[in-house]
Amino acid sequence: MSRVDQKLEEIEETIRNEVPAGISISDVTFEGPELVVYTRDPKQFAQDGDLVRRLASKLRKRITVRPDPDVLTRPEDAREQIESVIPEQAGVTDLDFHADTGEVVIEAEKPGLVIGRHGATMREITQEVGWTPEVVRTPPIESSTVANVRNFLKQERDERRDILERIGRQIHREEMSDDQWVRITTLGCCREVGRAAFIVSTPETRVLVDCGDKPGAEGEVPYLQVPEALGAGASSLDAVVLTHAHLDHSALIPLLFKYGYDGPIYTTEPTRDLMGLLTLDYLDVAAKEGRTPPYDSEMVREAIKHTIPIEYGDVTDISPDIKLTLHNAGHILGSSIAHFHIGDGLYNIAFSGDIHYEDTRLFNGAVNEFPRVETLVLESTYGGRNDYQTDQEDSERKLKEVINDTYEKGGKILIPAFAVGRSQEIMLVLEEAMREGDIPEMPVHLDGMIWEATAIHTTYPEYLRDDLRDRIFHEDENPFLAEQFNHIDGGEEERREVTDGDSAIILSTSGMVTGGPIMSWLEHLGSDADSKLVFVGYQAQGTLGRRIQNGWDEIPVGNGTGRSNTMKMRMDVETVDGFSGHADRQGLENFVKTMNPRPEKVLCVHGDESSVQDLSSALYHEYNLRTFAPKNLETFRFL
């Protein structure tokens, strides 16, 4: 008998001793980090609201209880009974029964009413019909990405279950080494912005944190070929953790599956969906520009199939000696700080990913309280000594001034923006400014993936700032449904109509002017001296956005057909700081200064060379921390 089977037998025995007489336990198995308990008495199980909580506490495992398929109420009868239990105002839009696991997926406009206070309504459903309810939100704005991901996972349910059982056995395998050490190896984003990738390794486990590309630098990818990474084979990785979906962190996640990786990806649910959206677009842009994509769409589907979503604050076993907890990073939808608890209190590491420390219109600020942290790996995008951003109120005031000035001249405002995060932030500013009369009402055209990314935001309002979440729950107050927002989906003809029309605001991807529809808008509007190009986000070195920001006025045109021609740009260029999803220098210092507990060591990464060195030096001098500004391919050994 394997160690895992022996452990499952011991767990099953413990559960049998804990549950009241008359409740049967027919099977216990691992699915990923969760312990799944099968019973022929799901209704009795549901009567004791604290039973699962007590078992989870005793076993220190996340527990899901499922009924044996042969004790379930028929779906036709169960549907009627479930609908009678759930309040009508919950807005149930679909019930999907899965007899193999005894789960019923309930899609509703207001999931909270399906869950009930402390899960009371869900327990009542199980008491009535025996089925285990799983609740998902009906998107207020229809999202093809969310629909496609849900449908795909439904189709792949059997295979995904096999994957999760295999992963579960890997997580709970016996530890093989008595050695105790922890290492971090830097594979990218050191003294540069982009291609984020790190390996966390112990004698037992190897985890890859992020795997992105470098914007504006084709071919510069993380050093995956080295022995610490995939040099020993992709299958030697135990897990991948993705902090957020921006391509400089996620673009090459699917490539791992091309190289033979077959393990889990841990991230939040919205990050999973956004990863799918952005990586598929990444392939599309590469094809349109005549570049050979590094992988195909099948690898994106593999990545989604292997993703295990976890919620903020949930402590999750990802290997025999590592527990992972994700915390809000305040950067984009679903962005996380990844906290690793290694061994039995042996060592703790936090990877900031990208963070925004203060609250924004979209998100609550980054979490910086942890049980323990010995080493912090900290982004330094705006870590330079002069990288202080304008505060939000001043930034919004300047943006409104630029819009009013351009409107009076009869021009158009073109804003390159990341589809995820900055676009939604700007949309909220524009919606409020027009509603309150601070700027004239005019169309706001959303090009590229912005509308689809916005739909995903409305699917996961629980990840947004508290007051914004409440507005989205009320359809008539949902700011993203304001009538001035227009989704551009007609291609060049629709763009020409906007160009020839009255004053308007255009939000378009890509945010760093590295391809995509922004190139077409520059071709249409670049020669118009009355119009303005307004940068509201970070422009990395080597990108066309940075060059234009620095004064270039000869821009390539051709819209993906080789771009052999150039055009003299006559439109004004403005930069409005303060809308970045990154903390500025003061925000980064405050994040560390108020961090509880304060780390012993800080690795400053994900910033230009001067930025990481400036921040590293400041944290050392001001807070007496051991700080480093590592280069790529360095390994830090702890203990």
Side-chain angles (χ1 to χ4, degrees):
M1 180 185 294
S2 73
R3 175 71 182 102
V4 175
D5 291 320
Q6 186 179 338
K7 186 182 289 187
L8 284 170
E9 277 197 1
E10 292 168 0
I11 289 172
E12 186 171 339
E13 183 64 29
T14 300
I15 293 173
R16 289 182 193 278
N17 292 334
E18 288 291 318
V19 300
I23 295 183
S24 65
I25 304 299
S26 50
D27 193 18
V28 175
T29 187
F30 291 123
E31 285 190 12
E34 290 199 347
L35 182 69
V36 181
V37 178
Y38 287 89
T39 176
R40 295 184 59 82
D41 308 291
K43 296 181 181 181
Q44 292 90 317
F45 226 112
Q47 284 173 358
D48 185 344
D50 287 327
L51 181 53
V52 173
R53 195 178 301 119
R54 291 199 305 271
L55 288 174
S57 177
K58 185 172 184 66
L59 296 168
R60 299 176 68 187
K61 302 286 181 195
R62 288 161 54 185
I63 294 178
T64 295
V65 177
R66 290 188 191 147
D68 276 352
D70 57 354
V71 300
L72 296 170
T73 304
R74 292 190 318 150
E76 311 89 82
D77 300 327
R79 179 181 297 274
E80 193 174 315
Q81 290 173 268
I82 290 170
E83 288 173 346
S84 70
V85 169
I86 298 172
E88 190 174 336
Q89 54 268 43
V92 174
T93 53
D94 190 30
L95 294 177
D96 191 15
F97 293 88
H98 298 276
D100 58 331
T101 60
E103 293 172 300
V104 53
V105 179
I106 303 171
E107 187 172 299
E109 293 168 358
K110 297 179 180 177
L113 294 178
V114 181
I115 296 168
R117 187 172 176 81
H118 302 305
T121 307
M122 290 177 70
R123 286 196 298 277
E124 189 178 348
I125 290 168
T126 302
Q127 286 174 247
E128 288 286 327
V129 297
W131 293 80
T132 299
E134 179 186 329
V135 188
V136 296
R137 184 181 309 281
T138 306
I141 300 173
E142 188 175 338
S143 164
S144 58
T145 300
V146 172
N148 289 341
V149 167
R150 288 178 180 177
N151 288 333
F152 172 68
L153 292 175
K154 189 194 303 184
Q155 293 164 13
E156 301 292 327
R157 234 178 136 84
D158 288 346
E159 186 179 347
R160 180 167 162 78
R161 197 167 158 205
D162 291 342
I163 290 169
L164 289 174
E165 287 187 4
R166 176 171 50 76
I167 290 169
R169 296 182 73 85
Q170 274 291 101
I171 291 170
H172 297 94
R173 69 187 185 274
E174 186 176 5
E175 291 190 43
M176 304 298 291
S177 176
D178 293 328
D179 290 344
Q180 290 191 334
W181 49 259
V182 181
R183 291 200 306 240
I184 296 175
T185 301
T186 59
L187 305 180
C189 84
C190 289
R191 305 195 184 195
E192 63 181 352
V193 174
R195 58 170 174 176
F198 303 89
I199 291 282
V200 176
S201 52
T202 72
E204 197 69 44
T205 303
R206 296 196 316 135
V207 178
L208 177 65
V209 182
D210 290 344
C211 194
D213 77 344
K214 187 170 181 179
E218 185 185 343
E220 288 196 41
V221 300
Y223 291 92
L224 297 174
Q225 74 278 14
V226 300
E228 291 86 349
L230 306 188
S235 60
S236 67
L237 287 176
D238 290 276
V240 175
V241 174
L242 176 59
T243 60
H244 67 284
H246 275 157
L247 289 172
D248 58 336
H249 293 254
S250 76
L252 300 178
I253 295 279
L255 183 66
L256 303 172
F257 293 88
K258 180 178 177 179
Y259 287 152
Y261 181 64
D262 197 28
I265 299 167
Y266 294 96
T267 193
T268 62
E269 197 169 10
T271 299
R272 177 199 63 194
D273 294 0
L274 290 169
M275 174 186 69
L277 173 69
L278 294 177
T279 51
L280 287 173
D281 183 72
Y282 177 77
L283 299 181
D284 189 46
V285 169
K288 285 178 179 174
E289 294 180 352
R291 293 184 282 114
T292 303
Y295 51 83
D296 58 30
S297 58
E298 180 57 35
M299 297 301 101
V300 177
R301 287 190 284 274
E302 283 297 313
I304 290 170
K305 186 163 59 181
H306 285 74
T307 296
I308 299 177
I310 55 180
E311 296 181 8
Y312 291 151
D314 281 356
V315 180
T316 302
D317 291 305
I318 64 170
S319 79
D321 63 338
I322 297 182
K323 295 180 188 294
L324 168 69
T325 312
L326 300 181
H327 301 274
N328 172 42
H331 175 61
I332 63 169
L333 181 70
S335 61
S336 304
I337 297 168
H339 179 273
F340 295 91
H341 178 82
I342 299 168
D344 188 11
L346 182 68
Y347 207 78
N348 292 259
I349 302 170
F351 285 82
S352 74
D354 290 345
I355 56 171
H356 197 290
Y357 183 53
E358 305 291 340
D359 291 352
T360 65
R361 283 181 176 266
L362 271 176
F363 305 112
N364 298 321
V367 167
N368 67 346
E369 291 202 7
F370 310 95
R372 272 179 55 191
V373 176
E374 279 76 46
T375 291
L376 169 67
V377 182
L378 178 65
E379 72 119 323
S380 314
T381 313
Y382 287 111
R385 61 172 53 90
N386 296 317
D387 288 343
Y388 293 98
Q389 291 196 49
T390 315
D391 71 35
Q392 190 167 316
E393 202 172 302
D394 288 344
S395 302
E396 293 181 9
R397 188 182 304 113
K398 182 176 179 183
L399 178 62
K400 288 183 272 194
E401 286 172 3
V402 169
I403 291 170
N404 284 326
D405 178 58
T406 310
Y407 180 84
E408 286 171 12
K409 293 177 181 175
K412 296 174 180 65
I413 300 94
L414 176 59
I415 304 176
F418 298 120
V420 179
R422 282 335 89 212
S423 292
Q424 290 72 37
E425 189 89 21
I426 298 298
M427 287 171 71
L428 293 174
V429 173
L430 298 177
E431 184 271 337
E432 181 181 277
M434 290 185 192
R435 178 163 39 85
E436 296 188 352
D438 293 339
I439 61 174
E441 289 203 9
M442 67 184 96
V444 179
H445 301 289
L446 311 173
D447 204 351
M449 297 179 298
I450 294 172
W451 184 247
E452 178 61 24
T454 303
I456 296 173
H457 278 70
T458 66
T459 306
Y460 299 104
E462 61 272 25
Y463 284 84
L464 302 176
R465 185 169 166 163
D466 301 345
D467 55 342
L468 176 58
R469 177 191 62 208
D470 295 341
R471 290 181 69 192
I472 288 173
F473 285 151
H474 300 90
E475 190 171 327
D476 56 342
E477 295 180 25
N478 188 337
F480 297 118
L481 292 173
E483 61 182 16
Q484 58 264 39
F485 294 128
N486 171 52
H487 175 210
I488 296 278
D489 58 4
E492 285 305 302
E493 187 175 334
E494 195 171 354
R495 291 183 190 122
R496 275 193 292 270
E497 287 177 10
V498 171
T499 303
D500 296 338
D502 295 331
S503 289
I505 299 168
I506 300 136
L507 287 179
S508 174
T509 56
S510 71
M512 295 189 190
V513 199
T514 52
I518 189 65
M519 305 308 298
S520 176
W521 286 110
L522 285 174
E523 192 169 349
H524 287 304
L525 291 171
S527 59
D528 180 6
D530 292 328
S531 292
K532 275 202 175 85
L533 177 67
V534 184
F535 289 110
V536 294
Y538 182 76
Q539 305 300 307
Q541 285 185 357
T543 62
L544 181 57
R546 173 69 76 94
R547 295 186 185 114
I548 293 172
Q549 202 175 40
N550 288 341
W552 276 35
D553 58 4
E554 296 282 339
I555 59 169
V557 295
N559 202 28
T561 58
R563 298 200 192 128
S564 55
N565 299 321
T566 59
M567 181 185 76
K568 181 80 171 176
M569 198 167 81
R570 299 179 63 221
M571 70 191 307
D572 282 345
V573 178
E574 293 268 5
T575 296
V576 181
D577 290 323
F579 289 111
S580 173
H582 296 267
D584 68 359
R585 169 60 174 268
Q586 191 63 59
L588 291 167
E589 287 194 21
N590 288 343
F591 179 86
V592 175
K593 178 183 177 182
T594 61
M595 190 168 161
N596 183 26
R598 193 175 289 180
E600 298 166 4
K601 300 182 181 70
V602 180
L603 275 58
C604 296
V605 302
H606 199 282
D608 297 338
E609 187 160 359
S610 62
S611 299
V612 294
Q613 289 179 333
D614 283 354
L615 183 61
S616 176
S617 175
L619 294 177
Y620 167 72
H621 287 293
E622 292 175 32
Y623 306 116
N624 196 30
L625 298 169
R626 290 189 65 193
T627 61
F628 306 85
K631 297 178 182 178
N632 290 330
L633 292 178
E634 287 195 52
T635 294
F636 293 81
R637 177 166 176 153
F638 308 103
L639 300 174

